[in-house]
Amino acid sequence: MSTPARDRIRLAIVDDHRMLLGALTQWIDGAADDIEVSAAVSTWPDLLTHEAFPVDVVLLDLDLKDNLPVSVKLRALKSAGVKTVLMSTYSEPGIVREAIAAGALGYLVKTEEADMIVEAIRAAAVGDSFISTELDLAISAEDLDSAPRLSAQERRVMALYGGGEPVKQVAKALDISEETAKSYLKRIREKYRLVGIDVGTKVALRKRAIQDGLLPRDDFLTSPAPMIDDDEPLD
């Protein structure tokens, strides 16, 4: 028995690889009668302007080359009442944790079994999170003590500063004073020092932010960073 149209999950797929976009649309249409692909687009603006938007769930490619932070996209979708499942070629635990922390309900690696896509979409539609067993095991197995625990504001400071922003711009972006921003940077550096990790230069801090999933790619949380001198000390 087919699912009545009014009860179907309205799905939008956003992926800039048109062949994959077409294949996903065709496969989901044939594999799940409770999911209706209402939109299949290759860019973020095309999603927002599509006549079917807002939908119930968006299957969103993490790696769209538009220099718009995925955290911004996730906030916009959440404000519109839309649930999000991210797809990516990246399976690093830090990136997955950051994506979930930013508001994604699901995270899929593009090499996983296609059946998991339907599971993730159905889970997101009812507000449940979904991470594949493979990713879940990788996250659980990772040594969580390899990085210090940072507060939400410390993570923001580290992402902005590691992304290339000077202290003045970090302070402005977070609506804090320059002295407060410097205090956060000193605190971050000290926390890493206590676990034996040196982030005494801007490049070292940036590399660590990427490694810990705070700044996995230039288009994930911040705009592309300018070139930075390897010997540049923290401000």
Side-chain angles (χ1 to χ4, degrees):
M1 181 183 298
S2 62
T3 304
R6 65 179 181 276
D7 296 328
R8 290 177 183 168
I9 300 167
R10 293 177 301 116
L11 174 72
I13 307 174
V14 187
D15 197 299
D16 57 4
H17 293 83
R18 294 184 182 275
M19 186 177 295
L20 178 59
L21 184 64
L24 277 173
T25 300
Q26 185 175 9
W27 185 84
I28 293 173
D29 277 338
D33 64 7
D34 60 331
I35 301 174
E36 173 188 343
V37 180
S38 302
V41 297
S42 59
T43 71
W44 174 251
D46 285 345
L47 171 67
L48 299 183
T49 58
H50 197 282
E51 61 182 5
F53 188 83
V55 293
D56 299 316
V57 179
V58 169
L59 188 60
L60 177 65
D61 182 7
L62 173 65
D63 311 312
L64 293 176
K65 305 300 187 292
D66 56 11
N67 291 328
L68 183 64
V70 78
S71 56
V72 172
K73 297 172 184 174
L74 290 170
R75 285 196 297 270
L77 292 173
K78 185 176 181 180
S79 296
V82 178
K83 312 294 196 309
T84 306
V85 175
L86 289 175
M87 299 182 296
S88 177
T89 57
Y90 302 102
S91 59
E92 289 85 350
I95 296 177
V96 179
R97 282 199 302 271
E98 191 69 14
I100 299 301
L105 280 175
Y107 191 102
L108 299 167
V109 176
K110 292 182 178 180
T111 55
E112 290 172 346
E113 294 294 329
D115 289 346
M116 290 187 178
I117 297 174
V118 170
E119 290 185 46
I121 293 167
R122 288 171 176 160
V126 295
D128 292 337
S129 60
F130 180 93
I131 300 177
S132 70
T133 301
E134 179 182 349
L135 283 177
D136 194 27
L137 289 173
I139 292 171
S140 299
E142 187 184 56
D143 181 7
L144 296 178
D145 291 331
S146 63
R149 293 184 180 275
L150 303 180
S151 69
Q153 189 77 322
E154 287 169 346
R155 290 195 298 270
R156 295 185 191 103
V157 169
M158 187 169 180
L160 287 168
Y161 191 76
E165 296 290 349
V167 171
K168 184 176 182 178
Q169 290 304 116
V170 172
K172 184 177 180 180
L174 299 178
D175 196 24
I176 58 179
S177 70
E178 288 187 48
E179 286 304 311
T180 299
K182 289 179 181 179
S183 294
Y184 275 118
L185 285 169
K186 289 178 181 178
R187 196 180 310 162
I188 291 165
R189 183 171 54 182
E190 179 63 12
K191 284 186 175 184
Y192 276 94
R193 187 190 67 78
L194 290 173
V195 296
I197 299 170
D198 180 17
V199 291
T201 66
K202 202 166 191 177
V203 165
L205 186 144
R206 175 178 173 78
K207 288 179 179 178
R208 193 67 209 187
I210 293 172
Q211 184 175 341
D212 290 347
L214 298 176
L215 192 67
R217 286 186 67 83
D218 287 332
D219 58 354
F220 189 69
L221 293 178
T222 63
S223 300
M227 294 295 292
I228 304 170
D229 187 341
D230 282 346
D231 296 323
E232 182 184 359
L234 290 173
D235 290 347

